[in-house]
Amino acid sequence: MSKWTTANLPDQTGRTIVVTGANSGLGAATARALSTAGARVILACRDTAKAERVAAGLPGATEVRELDLANLNSVRAFADSIERVDVLINNAGVMALPLRRTADGFEMQFGTNHLGHFALTNLLLDRITDRVVTVSSVAHRTGRIDLADPNWEQRRYDRWLAYGQSKLANLMFAFELQRRLAGEGAAVISVAAHPGYAATDLMSHTESIQDAIMWVGNRTLAPTAEAGALPTLFAATAAVAPGAFYGPDGFLGLRGYPARAGSARSARDRRVAAELWELSEKLCGLI
């Protein structure tokens, strides 16, 4: 593919698309592009006041609904409120936080980035008509799935390794979901994407000196959120390969235009993916 941009976005009139974390950064850029293309966009956000401000600036039909991925009761309530959706974009996330726990006791990054989206997708799956897009990161390459201690209860917490685990879990979930959908002969597909390096608020909540360092990087080196959203938009609207992973085509996948992306070998480990799925079902109370 050559230099795919929002100018290539197919007409989305008549389609309903849920974007998690659409109140800022990549999610807001994604919602704006889809709304401009004619989609009805549901902004699924914990901070509904911020989401309302974003929605007010969008040209198409929008709806703001509360969704706190760090609270499974909120995930269930949101899922119950949705009648039909064409595309679910699992975009929301947190990065490199100090050790915190979700309302259900999970490590915050694993609980929000992976388990919240895992539960949401499974609860909505019978009402999704086209595809699920799950946003991972190049940081998945630093991750390792610890099935015995995914919530960092037995080992010393490392915020960056925890982030890497959560983003590896996102990618493994996207791949495993596609295998299961294909095995059932479903028309719905699962695709993954990553933004590369993009200037977003995600990098300003480490509550450490790293916030200042990343702020400088955002201002001087990082492509815009609009550029970072392109792989997600491509994965959500273009003719894509089921189970594929898309990201920027430039140096180290950090910037550029949407293209097929490589992944760590660990992301393709089917045994661990199946075990992670079973563990996630248990943790989310889905079985």
Side-chain angles (χ1 to χ4, degrees):
M1 68 198 73
S2 61
K3 298 186 183 304
W4 191 95
T5 72
T6 52
N8 303 109
L9 243 171
D11 181 24
Q12 298 299 297
T13 301
R15 287 161 66 81
T16 297
I17 302 177
V18 170
V19 183
T20 69
N23 58 283
S24 65
L26 295 171
T30 299
R32 186 173 302 111
L34 292 169
S35 178
T36 302
R40 171 177 173 254
V41 181
I42 298 176
L43 293 80
C45 306
R46 181 178 59 82
D47 190 334
T48 54
K50 286 182 68 176
E52 291 285 2
R53 290 194 289 272
V54 171
L58 301 184
T62 61
E63 188 173 343
V64 172
R65 297 196 191 184
E66 183 176 1
L67 171 65
D68 183 354
L69 290 161
N71 185 326
L72 290 177
N73 284 335
S74 175
V75 174
R76 293 186 186 98
F78 175 86
D80 286 344
S81 77
I82 300 296
E83 294 181 359
R84 175 186 173 279
V85 59
D86 294 288
V87 180
L88 169 63
I89 300 179
N90 291 322
N91 162 83
V94 292
M95 183 178 79
L97 299 177
L99 179 59
R100 290 206 179 100
R101 307 234 170 247
T102 70
D104 304 283
F106 308 132
E107 186 274 314
M108 185 63 75
Q109 298 184 86
F110 185 71
T112 302
N113 299 353
H114 169 60
L115 291 175
H117 282 127
F118 178 90
L120 176 64
T121 303
N122 279 282
L123 290 168
L124 278 180
L125 201 52
D126 63 346
R127 281 155 283 159
I128 297 172
T129 67
D130 182 9
R131 68 188 74 180
V132 177
V133 179
T134 300
V135 179
S136 182
S137 165
V138 291
H140 83 272
R141 294 183 179 277
T142 69
R144 183 177 73 85
I145 304 297
D146 190 327
L147 293 166
D149 186 28
N151 289 302
W152 299 81
E153 295 168 321
Q154 301 165 27
R155 31 183 186 146
R156 182 177 179 181
Y157 180 70
D158 183 296
R159 67 179 73 200
W160 286 106
L161 293 181
Y163 179 66
Q165 175 183 249
S166 74
K167 301 317 285 184
L168 176 57
N170 283 153
L171 190 52
M172 297 184 84
F173 165 61
F175 292 158
E176 179 67 10
L177 176 59
Q178 177 55 39
R179 286 190 287 267
R180 291 173 183 246
L181 289 168
E184 296 171 0
V188 177
I189 65 170
S190 171
V191 188
H194 78 85
Y197 180 29
T200 72
D201 292 341
L202 184 66
M203 301 181 182
S204 62
H205 299 289
T206 68
E207 299 179 22
S208 70
I209 188 62
Q210 295 173 47
D211 284 352
I213 296 170
M214 289 187 285
W215 182 89
V216 172
N218 277 356
R219 292 294 184 273
T220 60
L221 299 173
T224 63
E226 287 71 22
L230 288 177
T232 298
L233 289 165
F234 183 88
T237 66
V240 296
F245 184 31
Y246 294 92
D249 62 358
F251 180 66
L252 297 178
L254 297 178
R255 61 177 65 221
Y257 298 93
R260 288 288 290 265
S263 63
R265 182 179 300 178
S266 56
R268 301 283 180 178
D269 189 321
R270 294 192 176 203
R271 179 190 63 80
V272 173
E275 292 181 2
L276 175 63
W277 185 286
E278 293 172 4
L279 175 63
S280 300
E281 285 183 319
K282 292 176 183 176
L283 292 175
C284 293
L286 298 178
I287 56 173

